[in-house]
Amino acid sequence: MLQAVVPSDNAPTLREVDGPFGAAPGAFDPRSSVLPVWITVVGTGGYWPVQIVPATNDTPSNPQMNSQDFSPAWRAIALFLAGFAFLQSWILWAVKPVGRFHDFALINAAPAQRFFFLNLASASLACTLAIFMAPAWKFGMHADHSVPGIAVVMLLAIVALAVCSFYLWKLLEQIRLAELETRPKANSSYRWSMCFSMMAWLGAVLCAVYWWGQYDEDPSLYGFFFGYRSVNLASGVSPLTPMFLLLFAVFLWSIFEIWRLRFNDEVRPRLNSKNFFPGATTETEIASSINAYFLRPNYLVTFFLAYGAWLFFLQPVHPFQLFEKPTFGWIYEVLFCLVVALMLTNGLRMAQTWAQLSNLLRELERSPIRDSFSRLKGGSWSPIWQAGGQQAEWTNMVRSFEVMQQIKNCDEELDPGLVRDIDAALGKRDEIRNIVRSKSQEISASSPARKKPFARLWDFLSTPFRKISREVTGLRILEKRLTELQGFLAIVLNDIMVDFQGAWEKRQSDLDVSRDPGKDGKAGAAETQKETSDPELQKLHRMEEYVALRYVAFIRGVLGNVRLWLILQAAVFSLVLLSLNVYSFEPHRSLVWSFTAIFAVIGAVAIQVLMQAHRDPVISRITGTQPNELGWQFFVRIATLGAVPLLTLLATHFPSIGRYLLSFFQPGLEAIK
């Protein structure tokens, strides 16, 4: 039975066409022949607004977003970024040159370069926070307390990063003044570092200003819809998501560049080989390949040719067809080109470093000391590929001092010059121990554990500025002593190589027996017994071990940087390719294929470096593998480093693969919308 429903007087008026965002009564005439048209774009989960045309006065002048408009993904990432910024600020403020985060201490090796990379990391993080909080400040301050609270926290995080950068500038000035008398030529590097750091912060400010300009009030409500799409990161049309990925790539690059300074000339293992020993000419070339600001001329020409060809296919004047305002395309294009340039220079630096290291490895293979590397115990691909650094080098130095002491305690007579240099190295080690011990006691004596909370807070805030000169002087003296200690270890290395240069030829038959472990355990037992009963052979083996330790320390430091560059290449390539896929960039295919060409070039270089490293005879002796064979470690390393970039690339070129991979993450994406 049908029943008629009579509308009551209080029921709302049903209209087929109504004003946007509940326009005030009388401001919109539904009978008008000129009706607003909503331009929308298809994204994940439906249609997303772009703007209203034609623009009329019926739209509200100050639209606001509600709390539910801000996706959980935006809230979670915004809070994580703010917390990470506070953590980074605290590390930069309180870190010391020794400890877990010693790489981020400005009072360390290469302070000028370190200052620039630290500022670049802080500027990229501050820029990310600024573009994340823009929608909340413009349209979300009238929502519930959570959105304004997140916006305020992000603003405080930016202030913390800026304050820490100012503190680092004051600290760098103290370091520059302290070294002005002893190293006047280094003054220009400090000036350039400050200039580049200011440029990094200026770029971050300009990026944030132009980004905030996208939210300007407009009768078409483009800025409002731009912010609405921005906070829905998983919509597929959020302009914030690709920007976040590119800025994260810049941040990663700056962190990896800070780790590169572990091999700086002030702290790296030294060989200082004589003219006829391995490394006499190649050591400085290898160190320069890692530490220099710019690439070598031939690699620099290669960079400009490859980058110029890529730009030609990109068509930088008008690379994208976007439904956004041109400003967004310009900002993204500048960041995109910057990250590609960083990727290309990183790959070429890896190639030039390996080319120089290969020369040293060939020298070692032609030298009689090549078999000394087989005597080292515990060698494998894991430690040889570990990143060089303070802790790894200290461990190698401890072993070197132990072997040095064993050489001195041998019953066989030693050269007086060698004994003198060993005593000098041991004395320098004891001097450093005393400095570290006195510093530790000074810190313990001035511990503020018994002070009141506000007094401890004041000491924390004021100490870096009140005691900055004394800390710089004391810690730079300690670093200078460590540099001198590396020089003493190199002197002992050359003394040992001169001392037993003739012994190698004299005892060649004995060495051949000692290097061959035999087919069973009896040969090894006989070798050990002979070494114990023959003091001369025992001394010779200890000398061989010392030589191998020092060369391995140098080689491991270089390979540690190669490993970091390989990881950085895989991470940055994946981030850039994801940024091209999480937003509707057109022409999409030309962008992807141009970037695929970059991946092919850098991937070919990386595979060639890994193949040559795994086949190298000297590295094979260190790692206990077969020379001229790749082995399963090579394929494991290729799989671990290239799996994510390759899958991302395949998912881009073959959408069916992308949809299959996306199905595993679909529940999570639905949850964060």
Side-chain angles (χ1 to χ4, degrees):
M1 181 178 64
L2 299 178
Q3 182 177 0
V5 179
V6 180
S8 64
D9 296 336
N10 297 328
T13 304
L14 301 179
R15 293 178 178 176
E16 185 176 353
V17 179
D18 205 347
F21 301 101
F28 178 75
D29 184 7
R31 296 169 296 179
S32 174
S33 60
V34 181
L35 300 178
V37 177
W38 289 58
I39 298 179
T40 58
V41 61
V42 179
T44 304
Y47 296 91
W48 297 84
V50 177
Q51 68 181 72
I52 298 175
V53 292
T56 63
N57 295 326
D58 300 332
T59 56
S61 59
N62 187 23
Q64 296 293 325
M65 285 192 287
N66 297 321
S67 178
Q68 61 268 22
D69 295 328
F70 292 85
S71 66
W74 180 88
R75 297 170 185 263
I77 296 178
L79 288 175
F80 172 79
L81 289 174
F84 189 83
F86 284 120
L87 176 63
Q88 177 175 316
S89 302
W90 176 79
I91 290 175
L92 296 180
W93 187 279
V95 69
K96 298 299 181 183
V98 291
R100 179 174 299 179
F101 300 103
H102 65 275
D103 291 301
F104 304 100
L106 191 61
I107 310 177
N108 216 324
Q113 293 188 50
R114 201 176 301 271
F115 176 76
F116 167 67
F117 295 133
L118 288 173
N119 275 278
L120 181 60
S122 298
S124 59
L125 184 54
C127 183
T128 307
L129 286 166
I131 67 175
F132 253 84
M133 73 178 186
W137 277 97
K138 294 289 290 187
F139 308 112
M141 298 307 288
H142 296 284
D144 61 7
H145 297 297
S146 62
V147 174
I150 293 174
V152 171
V153 170
M154 286 192 288
L155 179 61
L156 293 177
I158 295 175
V159 173
L161 291 172
V163 170
C164 282
S165 294
F166 176 76
Y167 163 66
L168 292 178
W169 173 72
K170 295 287 290 184
L171 186 59
L172 186 69
E173 271 294 297
Q174 293 292 334
I175 296 174
R176 185 184 67 84
L177 294 175
E179 295 186 352
L180 193 59
E181 297 180 358
T182 58
R183 298 175 59 189
K185 294 183 179 180
N187 191 46
S188 60
S189 64
Y190 288 101
R191 297 298 187 188
W192 280 111
S193 177
M194 293 179 184
C195 179
F196 288 145
S197 300
M198 291 178 62
M199 291 174 61
W201 276 102
L202 179 61
V205 171
L206 289 177
C207 179
V209 168
Y210 279 106
W211 184 266
W212 278 59
Q214 298 292 100
Y215 301 97
D216 289 342
E217 294 185 7
D218 188 347
S220 68
L221 294 179
Y222 171 81
F224 177 75
F225 292 145
F226 187 86
Y228 179 71
R229 286 183 284 110
S230 294
V231 297
N232 290 275
L233 302 177
S235 63
V237 290
S238 171
L240 183 58
T241 307
M243 290 290 297
F244 166 65
L245 294 173
L246 288 185
L247 287 170
F248 183 50
V250 175
F251 177 83
L252 274 184
W253 182 84
S254 60
I255 297 299
F256 276 74
E257 286 295 294
I258 293 173
W259 288 336
R260 176 173 63 87
L261 299 179
R262 294 173 176 177
F263 202 76
N264 187 265
D265 288 333
E266 297 182 16
V267 294
R268 67 174 176 84
R270 280 183 170 78
L271 302 177
N272 295 345
S273 302
K274 305 298 182 180
N275 293 333
F276 51 88
F277 291 140
T281 58
T282 54
E283 178 187 4
T284 55
E285 299 293 330
I286 295 170
S288 176
S289 298
I290 297 175
N291 299 323
Y293 264 122
F294 300 104
L295 298 170
R296 296 183 179 276
N298 53 337
Y299 288 94
L300 199 59
V301 171
T302 303
F303 166 77
F304 282 115
L305 291 176
Y307 194 66
W310 177 79
L311 281 179
F312 175 78
F313 287 103
L314 180 66
Q315 299 178 357
V317 178
H318 192 67
F320 310 125
Q321 296 288 344
L322 299 174
F323 54 83
E324 308 285 2
K325 287 184 177 180
T327 308
F328 169 71
W330 298 338
I331 298 174
Y332 183 85
E333 181 186 355
V334 171
L335 270 179
F336 183 67
C337 293
L338 174 63
V339 173
V340 172
L342 296 179
M343 282 184 55
L344 197 55
T345 54
N346 185 73
L348 292 175
R349 185 178 294 275
M350 177 178 61
Q352 78 171 9
T353 301
W354 173 252
Q356 298 298 328
L357 180 61
S358 298
N359 295 333
L360 174 62
L361 294 174
R362 281 192 290 269
E363 291 180 8
L364 291 172
E365 181 61 20
R366 294 192 295 264
S367 172
I369 66 174
R370 60 183 177 273
D371 291 322
S372 303
F373 300 103
S374 302
R375 298 181 59 82
L376 294 178
K377 306 298 182 182
S380 67
W381 274 106
S382 179
I384 197 65
W385 277 96
Q386 284 179 353
Q390 196 178 64
Q391 300 298 331
E393 176 55 20
W394 284 355
T395 302
N396 189 283
M397 289 172 66
V398 169
R399 290 189 61 186
S400 299
F401 281 118
E402 291 176 354
V403 176
M404 198 185 300
Q405 192 70 50
Q406 293 172 2
I407 294 173
K408 183 180 177 182
N409 295 336
C410 284
D411 296 334
E412 192 70 16
E413 183 179 356
L414 297 175
D415 180 75
L418 175 60
V419 175
R420 183 181 62 254
D421 291 335
I422 289 177
D423 290 335
L426 294 174
K428 183 62 65 175
R429 179 200 61 181
D430 296 337
E431 179 184 351
I432 293 175
R433 284 179 174 177
N434 293 332
I435 294 176
V436 174
R437 189 179 296 112
S438 63
K439 284 287 182 183
S440 301
Q441 293 175 354
E442 179 182 347
I443 293 175
S444 300
S446 60
S447 176
R450 296 184 178 180
K451 293 183 179 181
K452 295 181 179 180
F454 290 105
R456 280 185 288 172
L457 178 61
W458 170 249
D459 286 344
F460 174 74
L461 295 175
S462 60
T463 294
F465 295 98
R466 289 189 294 105
K467 300 181 179 179
I468 188 172
S469 299
R470 188 173 65 181
E471 286 189 3
V472 168
T473 303
L475 292 172
R476 293 296 283 176
I477 289 176
L478 176 60
E479 182 180 310
K480 184 178 180 181
R481 296 293 182 270
L482 290 171
T483 304
E484 294 172 353
L485 182 60
Q486 290 284 3
F488 278 110
L489 291 173
I491 292 174
V492 174
L493 170 65
N494 285 274
D495 289 344
I496 289 176
M497 295 182 70
V498 171
D499 187 63
F500 68 3
Q501 182 72 27
W504 268 322
E505 301 175 359
K506 179 181 177 182
R507 300 295 300 271
Q508 188 64 42
S509 58
D510 294 334
L511 289 175
D512 290 339
V513 174
S514 66
R515 291 170 190 140
D516 185 6
K519 297 182 180 180
D520 51 30
K522 296 181 180 180
E527 176 193 350
T528 304
Q529 184 177 2
K530 183 175 182 180
E531 180 178 336
T532 305
S533 60
D534 190 345
E536 184 179 355
L537 185 60
Q538 183 182 17
K539 181 190 75 171
L540 193 60
H541 285 170
R542 298 289 82 76
M543 288 181 172
E544 278 190 312
E545 185 177 358
Y546 181 85
V547 171
L549 281 172
R550 298 318 302 159
Y551 275 100
V552 166
F554 184 84
I555 294 171
R556 182 176 58 188
V558 179
L559 289 180
N561 281 281
V562 174
R563 169 180 172 269
L564 289 175
W565 291 329
L566 289 171
I567 296 174
L568 179 62
Q569 292 286 27
V572 172
F573 178 82
S574 301
L575 289 172
V576 176
L577 199 57
L578 283 174
S579 73
L580 291 175
N581 283 274
V582 296
Y583 189 82
S584 302
F585 289 105
E586 294 294 340
H588 187 263
R589 283 294 156 193
S590 60
L591 281 174
V592 172
W593 277 110
S594 64
F595 198 68
T596 302
I598 296 291
F599 173 76
V601 172
I602 297 177
V605 171
I607 292 175
Q608 182 183 13
V609 168
L610 285 175
M611 290 178 63
Q612 293 179 2
H614 279 265
R615 287 176 172 172
D616 186 80
V618 174
I619 297 180
S620 297
R621 289 186 178 92
I622 299 173
T623 58
T625 57
Q626 292 295 325
N628 299 318
E629 293 184 6
L630 294 179
W632 62 270
Q633 297 97 338
F634 168 77
F635 298 101
V636 170
R637 200 164 295 277
I638 288 291
T640 53
L641 292 174
V644 175
L646 185 60
L647 286 176
T648 308
L649 188 63
L650 291 176
T652 303
H653 286 285
F654 303 98
S656 58
I657 298 178
R659 287 191 293 269
Y660 175 74
L661 295 175
L662 188 63
S663 63
F664 293 97
F665 304 98
Q666 194 64 35
L669 293 176
E670 293 293 337
I672 64 176
K673 285 183 183 179

